[in-house]
């Protein structure tokens, strides 16, 4: 068995600390205790696996492609990652994750999707103070103003950005998907 010394942060393997031999000779019995091997190791705490959520809404599939690439990046860095739609995610789940990536395309006059994503995100906002996050999304028109507004909103909420917000025009190309993968890696 292994015993951890609490102060020195070393581990000693008890089954290797000593071995006892008995020598019998000339009508004398004596015991010889031999300290064989001490196995002393620097104690290193096992790294805990990061738990990441990638929460998104997608109307055309573009933001869904981005979300999948973000999740792949987090998994590639060793995180446990859940890919969830905004309908599947609630404020009660925020504390279950070390980091969260939120993805939503620009809608209407460059705003977040209003019927499903925005209400979910508004409920989560009070829980984002100090939380590591990333935001991403696709757009088909305009200049990406919705992302600037969303970033400012997250900063006001006290969220900690793991990486700069990421936007892709229309369907993400190979370079855009690589950026999404890097965004996922930054969350770990």
């Amino acid at each position: 068995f292994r015993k951890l010394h609490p102060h020195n942060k070393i581990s000693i393997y008890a089954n290797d600390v000593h071995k006892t031999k008995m020598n019998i000779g000339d009508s004398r019995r004596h015991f010889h205790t031999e300290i064989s091997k001490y196995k002393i190791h620097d104690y290193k705490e096992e790294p805990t696996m990061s738990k990441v959520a990638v929460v998104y809404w997608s109307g055309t599939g573009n933001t869904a492609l981005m979300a999948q690439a973000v999740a792949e990046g987090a998994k590639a860095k060793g995180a446990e990652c859940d890919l969830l739609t905004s309908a599947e995610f609630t404020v009660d789940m925020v504390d279950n994750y070390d980091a969260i990536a939120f993805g939503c395309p620009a809608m209407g006059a460059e705003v977040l999707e209003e019927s499903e994503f925005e209400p979910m995100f508004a409920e989560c906002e009070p829980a984002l103070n100090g939380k590591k996050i990333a935001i991403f999304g696709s757009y088909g028109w305009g200049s990406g103003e919705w992302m600037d507004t969303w970033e400012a909103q997250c900063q006001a909420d006290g969220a900690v950005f793991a990486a700069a917000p990421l936007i892709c025009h229309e369907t993400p190309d190979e370079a855009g998907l690589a950026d999404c993968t890097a965004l996922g890696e930054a969350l770990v």
Side-chain angles (χ1 to χ4, degrees), residues 55 57 86 102-104 112-113 115-121 150:
V55 182
W57 185 91
S86 55
F102 291 100
C104 185
L112 297 174
E113 190 278 328
S115 65
E116 192 174 295
F117 187 88
E118 197 282 326
M120 175 278 304
F121 189 77
W150 191 13

Side-chain angles (χ1 to χ4, degrees), residues 56-114:
Y56 71 96
W57 185 91
S58 187
T60 62
N62 295 336
T63 302
L65 288 173
M66 294 177 75
Q68 290 166 357
V70 170
E72 288 169 11
K75 288 177 184 176
K77 283 294 236 184
E80 178 183 335
C81 187
D82 295 332
L83 184 63
L84 304 161
T85 65
S86 55
E88 298 170 314
F89 194 78
T90 67
V91 66
D92 297 331
M93 299 166 77
V94 170
D95 286 339
N96 296 339
Y97 296 95
D98 300 306
I100 305 171
F102 291 100
C104 185
M107 300 296 289
E110 290 212 53
V111 295
L112 297 174
E113 190 278 328
E114 297 172 304

